[in-house]
Amino acid sequence: MRAYSATALLALLATCSPSGSGRPDISQRYDKQEVMIPMRDGVRLFTSILVPKDASPALEYPILLRRTPYSCRPYGEEAFTEDPRNQMARYLREGYILVCQDVRGRYLSEGEYANVRPYLPEKSGPEDIDETTDTWDTVEWLVNNLDSDNGKVGISGISYPGFYTWMGTIDAHPAVVATSPQAPVSKWMAGDDFFHNGAFLLPHAFDFYSAFGWPRPEPKTEPDQRMAKDTPDEYAFFLRMGPLSNANELYFHHQVAFWDTLTTNGRWNDYWAARDILPHLRDIRPATLVVGGWFDTENLFGALNSYAANERQSPGATNTLVMGPWYHGGWNSSRGDSLGEIAWGSPTSLFYTDSIEGPFFDHWLKDAPDPVLPEALVFDTGEKTWHRFDSWPPPETRDATLYLQGGGALGFDPPDPAVPGYDEYVHDPEHPVPYTTEIREWYNPAFMLEDQRFAGWRPDVLSYETPILEEDVTVAGPIQVSLTVSTSGTDADWVVKLIDVFPDSLEGGDSVPLSGYQMLVRGDVLRGKFRDGLDAPEPFEPDEPTSISFALQDAFHTFRRGHRIMVQIQSSWFPMVDRNPGVFMDIFQATGDDFRPTTQRVYHVPTGPSSLTVRRLN
């Protein structure tokens, strides 16, 4: 392992990037054309193409393609984006042909739209289409109809466009030599976007589909409009909405088709399995740069798991993972020098664009020097440094188990059998634990490192804390939760949070005092009825100690000497996660009468220990 401060690594790799600062004057340097590209089944997809004005057969440029359901605005051959984001600005400066396409059934493209359209391994005729065929047909048209391209194509995209990027990487056209799936949708119902371990992420699904999900009877250019709420406080809004079954009665009226799909497929089944892209990431030929953010609520799962699936199923492939201290897409839309109250010490997003992604595509598409990227380039969110590893998780890590102990203690030793064996709290779904202290109409993207003192003060949150650390503790990789629990009901959610507690005497030049700050490092939820599998919901026996286990997503964080490590456990995280009524049932069909308080217990005795197992690097 080699570690660099962000400033040192920026200087080390900056020689790879010839780009300068400032936004380019697009209309002065590029010509724009808009075309309808025919697919093999006759459907035509709207495509916007930016070509450098000095393009000629003597000057050949690579193509960088983005396929999106979110619109290629602004429309019109004379309309240019006024303020391109980090990545687009970089490629405009460097002379790429930039192509944007509205995917099938969205905005100005023809055809019918399908959410995460399933991949078809076997295709017998032109009517057998998926996103891989649409990408292939698009690339084939581009390389045969543009006069100034060099025959090499890259594909990039964030979130949903990250899914389309992976689809263009599977069964890739020969001209596609490099792709960058970033925060990609990968396995809905398991860990991306709308479900985490079977629990429903309410604002993500409701707010997204209240704009994205309405029918499009004919092509359009106007943007999707999110439904206006009667309060900027989403906690109050969703509490007043009541059970999920009220969403249609009050707001959607069964006109948002995918909301109905989500709420009638509340367990893993063939519908979700058909939309799982991970088994298809095999024998990948193009070089891939998989990108994610450690504080990405939507698709941290997708970045980590699609990288791992490609690594496992495509031996010998060029497959690089980059994980930075970012929220969803933050590497493209911000400087990345801070998130919430935590400063990183350097503009990590600008560093990523100019010294990682830019040189990656320059090398593969323009024959520029190899930037010699490592297998994994990841940011330590406690030490605030970039690290290079030969694999992820690093092979030199070892398992270390943090045990919950009596009296709110936490340590690497098993619990003392002489200390009482459980802690308990009452979970009241009418007064759920908030996931953030901020008043938000749309979710707080910095909640994944927010100060957790507001939660620890509540009687329905359990907190366990180590003594002051005498040495640094670095965790690098997945975190396995193993709890022995009980509930007086027949179902319960279990939210587990790993927290870095800063010293009370911390000093520094931060705009907000960080003394005693309880930084959320990783948190996630298990809907208890899915403890034996997302396809096998089972009720709890009331008050019966039961073992549950689930994986928190990976983290890379150093708990510094003088800090403490904390674990918090609770049964609500509202409205990020919808409320569990405490009753074994289809929660999407619950009514107000189904919700009731329950008593939860977490056990910490040698015969029923509760713990978090981390991958320790030091």
Side-chain angles (χ1 to χ4, degrees):
M1 177 190 75
R2 285 184 287 171
Y4 303 93
S5 70
T7 302
L9 190 57
L10 181 58
L12 174 67
L13 295 183
T15 54
C16 299
S17 174
S19 67
S21 60
R23 300 294 190 182
D25 187 342
I26 306 175
S27 61
Q28 296 301 311
R29 298 183 57 188
Y30 278 79
D31 291 321
K32 181 181 180 184
Q33 54 182 293
E34 297 179 339
V35 297
M36 298 293 290
I37 297 180
M39 301 293 103
R40 62 191 63 187
D41 64 346
V43 168
R44 300 179 304 159
L45 304 187
F46 173 87
T47 309
S48 173
I49 306 171
L50 295 179
V51 180
K53 285 184 178 292
D54 60 359
S56 69
L59 292 173
E60 295 182 337
Y61 299 96
I63 297 170
L64 194 58
L65 169 65
R66 177 172 63 96
R67 304 186 66 243
T68 180
Y70 299 137
S71 172
C72 290
R73 290 190 304 273
Y75 295 104
E77 293 189 6
E78 303 303 319
F80 290 86
T81 300
E82 295 182 359
D83 187 20
R85 293 189 172 188
N86 298 347
Q87 296 165 3
M88 183 179 182
R90 196 267 178 193
Y91 297 115
L92 288 168
R93 291 194 300 265
E94 296 306 308
Y96 279 67
I97 296 173
L98 297 182
V99 180
C100 179
Q101 183 175 80
D102 291 337
V103 298
R104 182 181 292 252
R106 292 292 292 170
Y107 287 92
L108 288 182
S109 285
E110 298 173 350
E112 295 296 323
Y113 181 71
N115 279 281
V116 191
R117 189 185 303 275
Y119 169 69
L120 299 178
E122 302 294 332
K123 302 175 180 69
S124 59
E127 298 303 316
D128 293 333
I129 60 92
D130 57 19
E131 301 303 340
T132 70
T133 64
D134 281 358
T135 309
W136 177 289
D137 295 346
T138 298
V139 172
E140 179 74 3
W141 189 96
L142 291 170
V143 297
N144 287 324
N145 288 274
L146 297 179
D147 295 329
S148 53
D149 70 284
N150 69 359
K152 294 183 178 181
V153 178
I155 310 175
S156 181
I158 299 172
S159 192
Y160 226 148
F163 160 78
Y164 294 108
T165 300
W166 267 129
M167 289 295 100
T169 310
I170 300 169
D171 301 337
H173 188 285
V176 176
V177 295
T179 71
S180 184
Q182 302 176 11
V185 171
S186 67
K187 189 177 182 180
W188 276 357
M189 181 62 195
D192 274 328
D193 288 303
F194 309 129
F195 292 94
H196 281 205
N197 300 305
F200 190 56
L201 270 60
L202 174 55
H204 283 66
F206 183 96
D207 289 344
F208 182 76
Y209 279 102
S210 73
F212 187 85
W214 299 100
R216 187 211 69 161
E218 59 186 22
K220 67 172 190 174
T221 60
E222 64 275 10
D224 296 327
Q225 296 295 323
R226 183 174 291 129
M227 184 189 70
K229 296 177 181 174
D230 58 5
T231 172
D233 184 346
E234 67 172 10
Y235 184 98
F237 173 84
F238 286 116
L239 202 57
R240 287 204 299 262
M241 184 182 80
L244 296 175
S245 57
N246 287 348
N248 264 317
E249 178 182 349
L250 297 175
Y251 302 111
F252 295 151
H253 310 295
H254 294 286
Q255 296 181 46
V256 178
F258 200 67
W259 177 266
D260 289 351
T261 298
L262 288 172
T263 57
T264 54
N265 289 278
R267 59 187 289 180
W268 187 262
N269 55 24
D270 290 344
Y271 180 87
W272 297 118
R275 285 155 179 80
D276 178 6
I277 74 169
L278 299 181
H280 308 300
L281 302 181
R282 59 177 63 254
D283 302 323
I284 295 296
R285 178 185 51 78
T288 54
L289 183 74
V290 184
V291 183
W294 288 127
F295 305 109
D296 180 354
T297 310
E298 288 94 327
N299 300 114
L300 171 59
F301 178 98
L304 293 168
N305 285 275
S306 65
Y307 160 79
N310 187 25
E311 189 72 11
R312 183 175 60 253
Q313 298 169 167
S314 303
T318 298
N319 182 38
T320 298
L321 176 69
V322 179
M323 296 296 301
W326 305 306
Y327 60 89
H328 188 62
W331 53 95
N332 188 38
S333 58
S334 70
R335 288 174 50 86
D337 46 13
S338 64
L339 180 58
E341 308 300 346
I342 306 298
W344 305 123
S346 68
T348 61
S349 299
L350 303 184
F351 160 63
Y352 162 75
T353 298
D354 282 346
S355 297
I356 304 174
E357 184 187 309
F360 169 81
F361 278 122
D362 286 351
H363 171 64
W364 290 102
L365 303 183
K366 300 175 71 173
D367 297 322
D370 188 344
V372 194
L373 296 175
E375 176 72 20
L377 183 60
V378 291
F379 191 86
D380 182 326
T381 55
E383 193 180 56
K384 302 180 183 179
T385 54
W386 289 97
H387 292 250
R388 301 166 64 95
F389 293 107
D390 294 333
S391 65
W392 183 263
E396 58 266 40
T397 58
R398 58 185 173 86
D399 284 349
T401 300
L402 283 162
Y403 292 95
L404 280 55
Q405 302 172 347
L410 180 71
F412 289 105
D413 296 320
D416 183 346
V419 177
Y422 63 80
D423 299 302
E424 71 176 23
Y425 58 93
V426 175
H427 162 63
D428 184 355
E430 298 301 325
H431 298 91
V433 181
Y435 79 94
T436 180
T437 60
E438 293 199 15
I439 301 299
R440 288 277 180 157
E441 184 175 2
W442 175 231
Y443 84 99
N444 173 16
F447 92 93
M448 288 182 69
L449 51 64
E450 187 175 0
D451 190 344
Q452 297 299 299
R453 281 177 284 195
F454 76 92
W457 293 330
R458 290 180 55 119
D460 51 357
V461 176
L462 301 179
S463 296
Y464 302 86
E465 191 174 35
T466 67
I468 294 173
L469 298 176
E470 297 181 355
E471 61 180 6
D472 289 355
V473 174
T474 300
V475 298
I479 302 163
Q480 187 67 31
V481 175
S482 298
L483 302 179
T484 300
V485 300
S486 68
T487 176
S488 63
T490 51
D491 191 18
D493 288 352
W494 303 96
V495 178
V496 179
K497 299 182 290 186
L498 181 65
I499 296 165
D500 184 346
V501 181
F502 292 13
D504 289 333
S505 58
L506 187 68
E507 296 180 357
D510 301 291
S511 59
V512 175
L514 296 179
S515 296
Y517 192 94
Q518 295 180 3
M519 174 183 169
L520 181 59
V521 173
R522 184 63 66 238
D524 218 331
V525 58
L526 170 71
R527 180 137 291 167
K529 67 181 179 180
F530 292 115
R531 62 193 178 276
D532 295 326
L534 295 176
D535 62 343
E538 289 288 337
F540 285 84
E541 288 291 332
D543 300 317
E544 181 69 25
T546 304
S547 296
I548 65 172
S549 179
F550 66 101
L552 299 184
Q553 297 177 54
D554 297 18
F556 184 32
H557 186 85
T558 294
F559 298 85
R560 306 301 297 270
R561 184 172 64 88
H563 290 222
R564 298 173 186 261
I565 302 174
M566 175 183 284
V567 170
Q568 285 184 350
I569 298 176
Q570 57 203 57
S571 289
S572 53
W573 215 13
F574 191 74
M576 182 56 60
V577 175
D578 73 304
R579 298 174 300 146
N580 192 317
V583 179
F584 178 76
M585 64 180 306
D586 180 355
I587 294 176
F588 291 110
Q589 305 306 317
T591 68
D593 293 338
D594 294 313
F595 290 79
R596 62 199 65 177
T598 52
T599 298
Q600 328 289 51
R601 288 179 176 177
V602 177
Y603 296 80
H604 43 75
V605 294
T607 55
S610 294
S611 63
L612 274 67
T613 299
V614 300
R615 300 281 290 272
R616 187 168 176 179
L617 191 59
N618 54 6

